[in-house]
Amino acid sequence: MRRRIAVVGGGPAGLTFARVLHRHDHPVTVLERDAAPDARPPGGTLDLHERMGQVALDKAGLLAEFQALSRPEGQAMRILDVDGTVLRDWRPRPGDRANPEIDRGHLRDLLLGPLDVQWGRQVTRVDPGTRDGVLVHFSDRRQETFDLVVGADGAWSRVRPALSTATPHYTGVTLVETSLTDVDTRHPHLAALIGDGSVAVYGVNRGLVAQRNSGGHVKVYAQFRAPLDRPTTLTDAEPSDAGTLRSQVLALFDGWAAPLLDLLRHGTAFVRRPLHVLPVSHTWAHIPGVTLLGDAAHLMPPLGVGANLAMLEGAELAESVAACGPDDLDEAVRAFEEQMWARAGIWATITAAGLDRLVSPDPAAALALFDEVQPG
Ligand SMILES: Cc1cc2nc3c(=O)[nH]c(=O)nc-3n(C[C@H](O)[C@H](O)[C@H](O)COP(=O)(O)OP(=O)(O)OC[C@H]3O[C@@H](n4cnc5c(N)ncnc54)[C@H](O)[C@@H]3O)c2cc1C
């Protein structure tokens, strides 16, 4: 008899898990809180690494389609100082496909493909170990039972409390995100500054990053150390009054070169994202029938690996589940968890140290970090 498997969350982790199971003709129920794929803006661009996100897409049979959609030129990266002087200017070599960029919306649509996602299904709680399996509770008071429930529901997971008492804590760093549209025609001086990929500037305890997405769209992230001025419980992203937040952020970057400030001046909607993380090396005592993937398992600073890990884990767990016999499901999940914890612990340590260096009193520490990871 086929196992009843549900994944909670249709982000990179949940969709990759479901898509790889689908490739193995294994049924899976995808439960997503959003009412529709385009219910909210999909967010910025992601670079998918050759040894992580791209491996996952290969396991899903989607690597060729990814290569057609992605932007290898988006790997270009420039670092400036606060006066606007170029300190580093990396460009990908022809044929370099180590970390091509893809818009989140394009990745979501690629993964969705033929999947039959149940939209508008917000999970509130799961109870493992009932007589008939794992009981899933929904916000509309309905309930359903499964043999395996995979929590891929992100930072503020509603599945996680069934396994662990850990909750995300604030890192001390806040991002304010804004967007530029039609940058090539409306702001050509900023298009030239950003180039084909990203531009990053690091000052004392703050940084500014602008990343080109497709279609002349740019995401700008201002990052700085700040106290958490209001308690965050269920969401990390709060849309804010554009005028007020723009002035507040511009004041923080006072004295920086005018074109850098233009990245903020011309921004449209502003969103405040206090960065939260789970404890490094977050693990739990294994419980049959429930597990976690991606940010739900190991939320870490956004330094370019979260979605990659989430997808790789989704693909690996799906392959294990598809390959195991009817009585081996629990052992397959347990082995997967051990492997996920070991790898995620290493990345959580690296990214926590990375955030401290990127938003630090010494801008030279940020530059040195890039010199360590970029080829000369
Ligand atoms: C500004 C920024 C830039 C980043 N850049 C990169 C990058 O370049 N590369 C990279 O690898 N990573 C990056 N990350 C990290 C990356 O976004 C995350 O690690 C990744 O999205 C995690 O995927 P996930 O599927 O685990 O969770 P999520 O993407 O958070 O998806 C969770 C899904 O679950 C749904 N959900 C939530 N609660 C419920 C519920 N109760 N019931 C049902 N559904 C629910 C949500 O609606 C969502 O669809 C960045 C993060 C930020 C904030």
Side-chain angles (χ1 to χ4, degrees):
M1 196 182 77
R2 281 272 158 113
R3 285 80 42 106
R4 299 162 301 169
I5 296 180
V7 59
V8 182
L15 291 182
T16 309
F17 174 73
R19 193 66 201 264
V20 173
L21 274 182
H22 182 271
R23 192 180 189 203
H24 289 273
D25 291 324
H26 199 298
V28 54
T29 304
V30 186
L31 304 164
E32 166 56 48
R33 156 185 80 177
D34 285 349
D38 56 358
R40 59 192 164 94
T45 178
L46 292 170
D47 60 319
L48 294 190
H49 307 184
E50 217 165 15
R51 298 200 183 147
M52 297 172 98
Q54 292 185 51
V55 172
L57 287 168
D58 197 23
K59 289 179 186 294
L62 295 172
L63 192 55
E65 284 177 68
F66 166 75
Q67 284 172 345
L69 279 171
S70 64
R71 289 172 282 109
E73 70 280 9
Q75 298 170 100
M77 168 115 204
R78 236 172 236 161
I79 305 210
L80 275 51
D81 69 13
V82 300
D83 298 323
T85 306
V86 177
L87 303 175
R88 300 285 185 276
D89 195 356
W90 289 286
R91 315 232 172 140
R93 294 188 192 90
D96 180 351
R97 305 205 67 97
N99 307 292
E101 296 279 340
I102 184 166
D103 289 14
R104 277 178 197 258
H106 293 165
L107 177 65
R108 178 202 59 210
D109 293 345
L110 175 65
L111 289 169
L112 273 176
L115 292 178
D116 187 14
V117 173
Q118 297 190 11
W119 301 100
R121 302 219 62 197
Q122 181 166 3
V123 170
T124 53
R125 195 176 94 225
V126 305
D127 292 333
T130 70
R131 208 158 49 93
D132 191 34
V134 181
L135 188 61
V136 177
H137 301 257
F138 295 90
S139 55
D140 59 7
R141 297 181 181 277
R142 280 194 282 169
Q143 300 178 345
E144 271 182 59
T145 310
F146 297 92
D147 298 311
L148 175 66
V149 174
V150 176
D153 50 343
W156 305 99
S157 171
R158 291 302 193 107
V159 179
R160 189 169 55 229
L163 296 169
S164 158
T165 54
T167 51
H169 61 269
Y170 180 50
T171 55
V173 174
T174 287
L175 288 191
V176 171
E177 177 186 315
T178 189
S179 308
L180 305 171
T181 48
D182 300 321
V183 70
D184 299 289
T185 48
R186 296 175 67 183
H187 312 292
H189 71 302
L190 297 181
L193 183 80
I194 298 160
D196 289 334
S198 308
V199 64
V201 192
Y202 296 97
V204 175
N205 282 326
R206 63 211 60 195
L208 196 58
V209 177
Q211 273 193 309
R212 187 181 275 273
N213 293 225
S214 65
H217 199 85
V218 170
K219 284 276 180 201
V220 181
Y221 305 96
Q223 47 200 32
F224 47 87
R225 294 200 174 268
L228 192 61
D229 59 3
R230 64 192 105 165
T232 299
T233 47
L234 284 181
T235 174
D236 245 1
E238 298 168 37
S240 311
D241 166 53
T244 309
L245 199 46
R246 183 190 287 115
S247 323
Q248 288 171 351
V249 177
L250 278 168
L252 282 175
F253 290 81
D254 189 33
W256 287 34
L260 303 178
L261 299 184
D262 282 348
L263 291 168
L264 297 166
R265 279 197 194 102
H266 296 299
T268 49
F270 280 72
V271 177
R272 184 177 157 278
R273 294 184 191 279
L275 296 182
H276 286 74
V277 290
L278 280 167
V280 167
S281 300
H282 172 229
T283 61
W284 54 89
H286 173 79
I287 293 182
V290 190
T291 193
L292 303 172
L293 294 179
D295 281 6
H298 48 64
L299 180 65
M300 54 186 81
L303 266 66
V305 283
N308 278 277
L309 276 176
M311 292 173 66
L312 187 55
E313 290 160 6
E316 287 174 347
L317 179 61
E319 282 191 339
S320 303
V321 166
C324 72
D327 300 326
D328 301 336
L329 180 62
D330 190 48
E331 209 33 60
V333 173
R334 191 192 288 268
F336 161 78
E337 287 172 341
E338 298 283 345
Q339 180 181 319
M340 170 175 67
W341 292 335
R343 185 172 48 208
I346 294 169
W347 281 109
T349 306
I350 293 172
T351 53
L355 184 67
D356 276 347
R357 287 173 66 179
L358 288 181
V359 189
S360 88
D362 177 14
L367 191 61
L369 182 66
F370 283 94
D371 286 339
E372 286 163 24
V373 295
Q374 295 281 348

